[in-house]
Amino acid sequence: MPEPVLLVLDADPPPRLGRLAGRVRVRHVDGAGLAAQLPHADVLLVWDFGSDAVREAWPGDGPRPAWVHTASAGVDRLLCPELVECDTVVTNARGVFEQPIAEYVAGLVLAFAKDLPGTLELQHRRRWRHRESVPVAGSRAVVLGAGPVGRAITRLLMALGVEVALVGRTARRTIHGAGDLDRLAAQADWVICAAPLTPRTYGMFDTRFFGLMQPSARFINVGRGPMVVEADLMDALRKRWIAGAALDVFEREPLGPQSPLWDVPNLIVSPHMSGDTAGWRDRLGEQFVAMYELLAAGQPLPNVVDKRLGYIPGTDLDE
């Protein structure tokens, strides 16, 4: 029986797959060569998770891999109608990024509340200017996205004394439904997006939404860039409808040097790094190898994405 073919849509550095040596034939491919190699692969590892190559190549002729794994939490860069409709199983990297992203969000909340950007700017200008900061404990946050990332953010903010309302697609147990978001956001000091990109969430943070928020509130996005209408956010910040914002994800990445976002007042810009702590690539590689070994042993795969929803649906046990 021939060895299974594992096709890796590569990025630098490549994944460490040594434990699979002798058990699978590994072929590395870039985006330009993906379409020609897909019919010959049993498994596709999307290591270059920022690429649109899978979505572009999948509709071609010939057989397709039975399993696609992406080394990311989001799957919006992969999904196309042909992949959604076929029998291929799609999995993601759930379990790797949740705690680092929660720590990053907590850091942003503390930085805003204690005006650390202002302190660094005044230090750079050699100016001594005493200010008062605002308390974090007792403030209110609404977190959009009731998956593992949103729940990790909720737990960490609650440890800081923040009152957190977690919002999911539908209401269940301690989770609010999407219909509650406007009401909760209007009362919140922090609005945090940690949701997947779907047709329902595309462009949802716009002029109407920012107009609902308190002038003292801050907005943080660690979900997906296209959920925010960036021109509307810039306008809201310039008009001081809200006090500040932080974006770790953007409509187009990387953010070019000519982007007006760099110069918007009270906006923190970071390069899609909230989930990336030292050793994160090794953890992603180890996760995939462990999942492959489960598959080879006839065990069910974890982290299976509902392709029609665009994410892994939650259960009561998860919450």
Side-chain angles (χ1 to χ4, degrees), residues 114 132 134-135 140 150 157 168 193 224 253 266 279 297-298 308 314:
K114 305 310 173 185
E132 293 180 346
V134 298
R140 295 180 176 180
L157 291 184
C193 173
R224 281 294 180 264
E253 297 181 11
N266 300 314
R308 297 191 183 279

Side-chain angles (χ1 to χ4, degrees), residues 3-315:
E3 292 177 340
V5 174
L6 167 60
L7 187 62
V8 181
L9 179 60
D10 245 341
D12 189 37
R16 296 183 180 182
L17 304 172
R19 278 186 11 220
L20 299 182
R23 301 161 60 185
V24 61
R25 280 186 293 161
V26 180
R27 296 177 180 172
H28 296 267
V29 67
D30 59 15
L34 181 62
Q37 293 295 326
L38 274 179
H40 311 291
D42 298 291
V43 178
L44 172 63
L45 168 57
V46 185
W47 192 247
D48 185 2
F49 52 79
S51 170
D52 292 321
V54 175
R55 188 168 58 200
E56 295 166 357
W58 198 270
D61 296 327
R64 291 293 181 262
W67 173 32
V68 173
H69 176 76
T70 180
S72 63
V75 297
D76 49 278
R77 303 298 289 264
L78 308 180
L79 296 180
C80 60
E82 292 80 3
L83 177 52
V84 170
E85 295 298 331
C86 73
D87 293 333
T88 296
V89 174
V90 174
T91 58
N92 71 358
R94 179 175 181 167
V96 174
F97 298 110
E98 291 84 346
Q99 185 64 22
I101 293 175
E103 293 172 1
Y104 200 87
V105 169
L108 288 169
V109 167
L110 290 168
F112 275 129
K114 305 310 173 185
D115 192 26
L116 297 185
T119 295
L120 294 173
E121 174 62 22
L122 289 167
Q123 178 182 346
H124 179 72
R125 294 160 55 189
R126 297 173 178 263
R127 291 187 60 185
W128 179 281
R129 194 176 79 198
H130 180 269
R131 293 103 65 216
E132 293 180 346
S133 63
V134 298
V136 172
S139 64
R140 295 180 176 180
V142 55
V143 177
L144 177 67
V149 173
R151 294 197 296 275
I153 292 170
T154 297
R155 288 192 294 270
L156 202 50
L157 291 184
M158 290 178 68
L160 293 174
V162 180
E163 299 176 15
V164 185
L166 184 59
V167 177
R169 187 169 65 97
T170 57
R172 54 201 189 273
R173 295 176 65 189
T174 60
I175 297 175
H176 297 268
D180 294 330
L181 178 61
D182 285 0
R183 173 180 59 82
L184 293 168
Q187 303 167 358
D189 301 292
W190 317 98
V191 175
I192 300 158
C193 173
L197 179 64
T198 70
R200 293 166 61 102
T201 62
Y202 189 96
M204 67 179 296
F205 296 107
D206 56 8
T207 294
R208 184 202 68 83
F209 185 88
F210 296 125
L212 295 172
M213 293 174 60
Q214 299 184 92
S216 59
R218 272 90 171 193
F219 173 78
I220 297 171
N221 187 16
V222 290
R224 281 294 180 264
M227 296 178 66
V228 177
V229 181
E230 291 175 353
D232 291 359
L233 175 60
M234 289 189 287
D235 190 53
L237 287 167
R238 288 174 178 140
K239 292 178 177 177
R240 299 186 181 180
W241 287 3
I242 59 176
L247 300 179
D248 187 54
V249 288
F250 303 87
E251 291 180 15
R252 293 180 179 84
E253 297 181 11
L255 196 64
Q258 304 306 316
S259 172
L261 287 166
W262 295 108
D263 300 315
V264 177
N266 300 314
L267 175 63
I268 295 176
V269 170
S270 60
H272 204 150
M273 59 180 284
S274 61
D276 302 342
T277 53
W280 65 282
R281 289 184 177 87
D282 289 341
R283 290 191 290 275
L284 287 171
E286 291 165 3
Q287 180 188 54
F288 174 76
V289 170
M291 292 173 71
Y292 188 92
E293 290 174 337
L294 285 174
L295 182 71
Q299 300 296 314
L301 284 169
N303 296 3
V304 175
V305 172
D306 185 320
K307 294 185 290 183
R308 297 191 183 279
L309 292 176
Y311 54 88
I312 301 172
T315 67

